[in-house]
Amino acid sequence: GSLTVGELAKKLGKEPSEIIKKLLFLGIMATINQEIELEAIQLIAEEYGVKVEEKIEIDEDQFELIEDHDDPADLTVRPPVVTIMGHVDHGKTTLLDAIRKSKIVAGEAGGITQHIGAYQVVINDKKITFLDTPGHAAFTSMRARGAKVTDITILVVAADDGMMPQTIEAINHAKAANVPIIVAVNKMDKPEANPDRVKQQLAEHGLLPEEWGGDTIYVPVSALKQEGLDELLEMILLVAEVQELKANPNRLAKGTIIESQLDKGRGAVATVLVQNGTLRVGDPIVAGATYGKVRAMVNDRGKRIKEAGPSTPVEITGLNEVPHAGDPFVVFEEERKARVIGEKRALKLRQSELNATSKVTLDDLYKQIQEGEIKELNVIIKGDVQGSVEALQGSLEKIDIEGVRVKIIHKGVGAITETDVTLASASNAIIIGFNVRPEPQARTSAEREKVDIRLHRIIYNVIDEIKAALQGMLDPEY
Ligand code: GDP
């Protein structure tokens, strides 16, 4: 904040008239009750040998909560934000392109689309925002950074191929994030398409179709032939309506970085998703540990715009450095404040990189339980054969020690991959490898993310170790 002439005089122990005179020398006509700018305060104070620094506190809340302090009366419906996941080659990219083409060209003259990492389509006068990077790896690595951007997941399953390993991974990643799933049964144009088999397979993984008494929506589509797309979009709107997604457009913007890059001519370029408030050209902004002033905004049609409301993706320039995908961004009233906070966050980031964040490990599990930090131990199981993975899951899920239980958030056959580690990191889970080992990149990223990986060859030993950890009776490893 600023000070009045009277307040400044008092702080400096001088007569107000003396301060008014000095201000006049600076070309500022002021009365005793007038507020003066920080710059003038600094100049005057300097003459008395006093150095003035503005005190700015970092309010971490401002970054962490997207929907904070909003009066329910200020909230209006916002478009859903949708992510597409599924097994490789099941048609994620084709579907994203098909939706983009079918809806944008119809609505807009010209219709040249720009890849900025996300786009919006309109159906029945309602908007839907799609994130353009398909796959659960991208989804979860954003989540590992603390970003919660997805409202609905479209799980693409090819009707001729059925459920595959990455289909299950995608289900588990979406479940871990608590995001509802709509199944798009793709490639229906193929003669060997078998949607019933897809439903049967997925039902076994908790996605029971509505027509079988469950609550999962299945939509048959052909991304290639652009069939079933409207039905899919209508179902998205239906699920969104149930979620009652709302935001307050009449406040300073907040959201998440979706993509970023360094452009030779334009400097740092970032696609941001506005999640609350309205972002405007000229807004002072902090994104992750970077800061600046929004210089220009371009939407998904390559059009320059002046403002962007909730759930709108826009590409912005004006940041001093390139932020990370998944970083939160917040707009401040004053540029000076944005700069100070950006600098402080950069410093903090460097410090926290030095002493990496604490994750759950078996060694300090008991302490975390005692401190009430943990009520459930999240576990990912990877094993050499399906049978032992399931046996292990069965035994682990039976454990209940003083109310603390084991929750298997993902299991699979094969080596421990980097994606497993990302999921563990985002979900604060440990990984158990049964007769399998981590891939080299998985090992490196587990070290960086401080994810606890336990390798075993005997089921009994796994159970023993987990029980001991839950009871605080684990022998130190080293
Ligand atoms: P992604 O790896 O999941 O992104 O899959 P792609 O979108 O790259 O699609 C993989 C292959 O499947 C490509 O050759 C597509 O042309 C094809 N494909 C995608 N959707 C359909 C569809 O609805 N019908 C048929 N017949 N082929 C499709």
Side-chain angles (χ1 to χ4, degrees):
S2 58
L3 291 174
T4 64
V5 173
E7 286 163 347
L8 176 61
K10 206 166 158 201
K11 278 192 196 282
L12 293 170
K14 303 288 165 196
E15 286 299 316
S17 59
E18 196 178 320
I19 304 294
I20 291 174
K21 238 183 259 165
K22 292 222 181 270
L23 280 167
L24 263 179
F25 274 113
L26 295 172
I28 300 168
M29 295 256 278
T31 61
I32 185 162
N33 292 322
Q34 197 160 328
E35 290 204 344
I36 39 182
E37 299 269 310
L38 181 71
E39 226 171 283
I41 294 173
Q42 280 168 331
L43 285 171
I44 302 276
E46 234 168 67
E47 291 199 27
Y48 296 107
V50 177
K51 202 168 157 20
V52 177
E53 267 180 28
E54 196 184 20
K55 198 175 151 200
I56 293 178
E57 298 284 329
I58 298 187
D59 184 2
E60 282 297 332
D61 274 4
Q62 267 184 298
F63 287 90
E64 276 158 19
L65 302 167
I66 295 292
E67 310 106 354
D68 53 354
H69 323 305
D70 284 317
D71 191 328
D74 295 329
L75 298 177
T76 56
V77 175
R78 66 167 176 84
V81 179
V82 180
T83 304
I84 297 199
M85 300 196 206
H87 195 73
V88 65
D89 279 346
H90 278 200
K92 298 180 293 292
T93 314
T94 311
L95 183 63
L96 270 166
D97 289 345
I99 294 171
R100 184 203 315 261
K101 267 188 233 135
S102 74
K103 287 297 144 199
I104 287 180
V105 177
E108 295 258 324
I112 301 162
T113 61
Q114 179 126 338
H115 280 266
I116 63 166
Y119 66 83
Q120 274 191 328
V121 296
V122 179
I123 176 154
N124 303 342
D125 293 328
K126 294 198 174 98
K127 286 179 182 164
I128 302 174
T129 304
F130 282 90
L131 298 188
D132 224 348
T133 324
H136 52 270
F139 171 85
T140 296
S141 72
M142 295 258 291
R143 207 162 70 77
R145 300 192 69 86
K148 198 182 175 309
V149 295
T150 305
D151 299 308
I152 297 168
T153 290
I154 304 297
L155 179 65
V156 178
V157 187
D160 59 333
D161 206 17
M163 188 178 76
M164 294 305 247
Q166 284 168 44
T167 316
I168 302 171
E169 276 191 38
I171 295 173
N172 293 337
H173 281 236
K175 276 190 189 160
N178 238 334
V179 175
I181 297 171
I182 296 176
V183 182
V185 185
N186 191 31
K187 307 200 183 183
M188 286 300 287
D189 57 287
K190 286 198 164 182
E192 57 277 34
N194 187 348
D196 273 342
R197 187 181 55 155
V198 172
K199 287 178 190 168
Q200 249 154 29
Q201 291 170 327
L202 296 190
E204 279 170 30
H205 286 263
L207 300 182
L208 196 64
E210 279 189 318
E211 59 271 36
W212 298 356
D215 56 8
T216 303
I217 298 172
Y218 285 72
V219 186
V221 299
S222 167
L224 194 71
K225 303 248 188 285
Q226 307 209 2
E227 282 162 9
L229 303 186
D230 281 0
E231 289 79 359
L232 180 62
L233 297 176
E234 278 160 17
M235 288 305 151
I236 293 172
L237 288 178
L238 203 71
V239 172
E241 215 164 281
V242 175
Q243 288 181 301
E244 294 191 38
L245 307 168
K246 288 187 172 167
N248 174 10
N250 300 312
R251 51 167 281 168
L252 297 175
K254 252 179 175 201
T256 299
I257 306 295
I258 301 297
E259 260 187 31
S260 59
Q261 79 206 61
L262 190 64
D263 182 280
K264 270 209 183 109
R266 297 185 294 162
V269 178
T271 294
V272 307
L273 177 72
V274 179
Q275 291 175 275
N276 203 359
T278 297
L279 183 65
R280 296 190 170 83
V281 169
D283 276 349
I285 184 172
V286 177
T290 70
Y291 63 89
K293 205 169 149 174
V294 179
R295 200 188 313 137
M297 297 204 292
V298 176
N299 71 7
D300 54 352
R301 325 280 159 95
K303 222 162 86 188
R304 273 181 169 249
I305 53 171
K306 288 229 148 43
E307 52 177 47
S311 294
T312 313
V314 277
E315 193 186 74
I316 66 165
T317 52
L319 289 169
N320 69 326
E321 278 179 61
V322 182
H324 296 282
D327 275 345
F329 82 80
V330 174
V331 165
F332 290 88
E333 320 77 50
E334 295 170 79
E335 200 176 350
R336 193 171 55 227
K337 194 166 177 188
R339 193 194 64 228
V340 173
I341 289 179
E343 282 167 356
K344 282 197 180 163
R345 282 178 63 92
L347 195 69
K348 241 178 104 178
L349 180 73
R350 248 170 273 140
Q351 284 163 348
S352 72
E353 273 170 359
L354 290 177
N355 36 33
T357 50
S358 72
K359 291 269 160 59
V360 60
T361 66
L362 286 190
D363 292 323
D364 63 17
L365 181 62
Y366 185 65
K367 193 168 140 260
Q368 290 182 302
I369 292 170
Q370 295 294 302
E371 287 166 358
E373 285 174 26
I374 290 198
K375 301 245 172 341
E376 211 166 42
L377 175 63
N378 285 343
V379 172
I380 293 173
I381 305 174
K382 290 305 278 286
D384 54 344
V385 289
Q386 191 66 31
S388 48
V389 169
E390 261 155 32
L392 194 52
Q393 172 175 25
S395 312
L396 286 176
E397 281 177 342
K398 281 201 202 93
I399 297 178
D400 180 352
I401 289 175
E402 292 178 24
V404 183
R405 311 189 61 119
V406 175
K407 184 176 176 191
I408 311 300
I409 62 165
H410 176 60
K411 60 178 199 263
V413 172
I416 297 162
T417 63
E418 201 176 0
T419 317
D420 294 329
V421 174
T422 312
L423 177 63
S425 172
S427 311
N428 201 23
I430 66 156
I431 301 176
I432 295 171
F434 190 76
N435 279 324
V436 295
R437 313 193 61 78
E439 289 174 354
Q441 305 97 301
R443 195 182 289 276
T444 329
S445 98
E447 271 163 30
R448 190 180 58 236
E449 305 279 328
K450 302 271 180 272
V451 167
D452 195 1
I453 298 181
R454 299 275 165 158
L455 304 175
H456 284 281
R457 299 192 163 275
I458 300 168
I459 289 194
Y460 178 76
N461 287 350
V462 183
I463 310 301
D464 236 24
E465 186 178 58
I466 300 281
K467 278 188 175 163
L470 288 169
Q471 288 166 317
M473 290 165 45
L474 198 66
D475 290 329
E477 250 190 312
Y478 316 96

